[in-house]
Amino acid sequence: MAPLTDSKKTCEVSEKPRRSKIWQALQTVKDPEIPVVSLVEMGIVRDVTLTERGEAIVYITPTFSGCPALHVMQRDIKERLAEIGCKSVAIEIRLSPPWSSNWISDEAREKLRQFGLAPPPRHHGDFIGLADISTAVCPRCDSTNNTLKNSFGPTLCRAIWYCHDCQDAFEQFKPL
Amino acid sequence: MEISTQNALQNYLLALADDELALAHRNSEWIGHAPILEEDIAIANIAQDELGHAALWYNLLCQLTGDDPDRLVYWRDAADFRSAQLLELPKGDWAFTILRQYLFDVYEVVLLDGLQESAYQPVADTAVKIRSEEIYHHRHTHTWVKRLGLGSVESHGRMQGALNELWPYALQLFIPLADEAVLVDDGCVPQRTAVYNQWLNIVQPHLADSGLEIPADAGPPTPNRAAHSPHLAGLLADLQKVAREHPGANW
């Protein structure tokens, strides 16, 4: 196939394969603060659409609204998509539906655990109830004999726990 | 949307954003100075959250007006801010900071409950987003108020002193803006009296459980959000210094 030369079109293939190519590329864009999981696995990338002019629009949603990594994520998405030939990329931030830690995939939860970050417990949206009964499983020894030491940690999305079996602190991705 | 509603909505959003910004800045003044490391981390997180919430409200406002959030933050003078005086007051001691944050957290959770039902969908969506994060603040300050209120003679005394000073300022949060009625009629925002009653139903028993006595009702120092304490100018001088000394700088 001849290389793409028409500057008005950014990709020679039809829309459906192109969208899946973009999704594949986005699978490799990592969370800047947790470099073992991708923005797709974290549920941060919500949708991808293509305009008639060939522009890709990537819809993302912030985990915590003050998260400074959101700027880095937008830059990384644009750089990655440029690498696969998407010259025109727009990123739109969606607040609704609000990001939920339930959207973190099972694979990503396991990666978080191996990274040393306890995954957030799944919840049913009853957030006040959840905040009161939240639990964490120690990512090192799987113990549930833990105490919440601080609802706030080194980033907005992390809480600090203490494992009474390991006798050491660990971090948890906060349920939201 | 009618012009009168749109104007009222802009004024409302500006007040929401300015409150968050002023409080975020005051909390950020604790970074490196909080009584213990865990609380240094917590107050920095809370400051960052409130700053994020301010950004959401400023962005929503600027979508309506075409203005720039950075201009609103860095290039307005004190007289053009609409923050309530509660949020401008210097950070004081730890009791003062915790109690102010608690009174404001409960106000925010109750207000956001109402705003989640807003007939103006962008406000409703933003309120849902912010509220889930505020739960963490509320839980944290709720715990601290009780611990300090029932703690030592000194911690109790400092908390009671903070409450005596803060209470009238907190009441300013429940005074409607001059043109707010049109927003209430259109279902865009909740009635302040309803917000006040729900707030009082939460803070009154908790303060009592914490051994603290609400002072006699003297009313807010001013109902007018265009009138500021002398402290706002100092806060802004600090916040705006770099941007104003180096206009257009990138970093």
Side-chain angles (χ1 to χ4, degrees), chain A residues 14-131:
Chain A
S14 63
E15 182 171 318
K16 204 175 169 188
R18 188 164 169 245
R19 269 170 53 105
S20 77
K21 200 177 152 198
I22 290 173
W23 274 106
Q24 279 173 18
L26 291 173
Q27 285 279 4
T28 66
V29 181
K30 302 300 185 191
D31 184 319
E33 286 177 346
I34 314 167
V36 292
V37 289
S38 78
L39 299 183
V40 175
E41 291 173 309
M42 290 296 288
I44 291 169
V45 175
R46 302 311 301 157
D47 200 4
V48 175
T49 58
L50 296 168
T51 66
E52 284 183 5
R53 289 175 53 253
E55 183 183 46
I57 304 176
V58 180
Y59 297 89
I60 64 173
T61 194
T63 53
F64 283 73
S65 41
C67 180
L70 204 61
H71 300 280
V72 181
M73 290 175 187
Q74 294 180 59
R75 187 199 65 200
D76 291 352
I77 288 171
K78 286 187 174 174
E79 283 179 3
R80 182 70 191 100
L81 294 186
E83 283 169 16
I84 64 161
C86 286
K87 290 171 188 162
S88 178
V89 177
I91 296 175
E92 288 193 18
I93 294 171
R94 273 186 186 166
L95 291 182
S96 182
W99 185 83
S100 164
S101 54
N102 285 348
W103 294 349
I104 301 174
S105 68
D106 287 338
E107 295 78 14
R109 283 166 190 274
E110 177 54 22
K111 288 177 188 171
L112 290 178
R113 198 187 61 77
Q114 288 175 10
F115 184 62
L117 205 52
R122 291 196 194 269
H123 58 89
H124 304 286
D126 173 17
F127 204 74
I128 294 178
L130 176 88

Side-chain angles (χ1 to χ4, degrees), chain B residues 234-249:
Chain B
L235 185 158
L236 293 176
D238 196 13
L239 178 70
Q240 298 173 332
K241 189 172 193 291
V242 175
R244 289 188 177 206
E245 280 186 7
H246 304 278

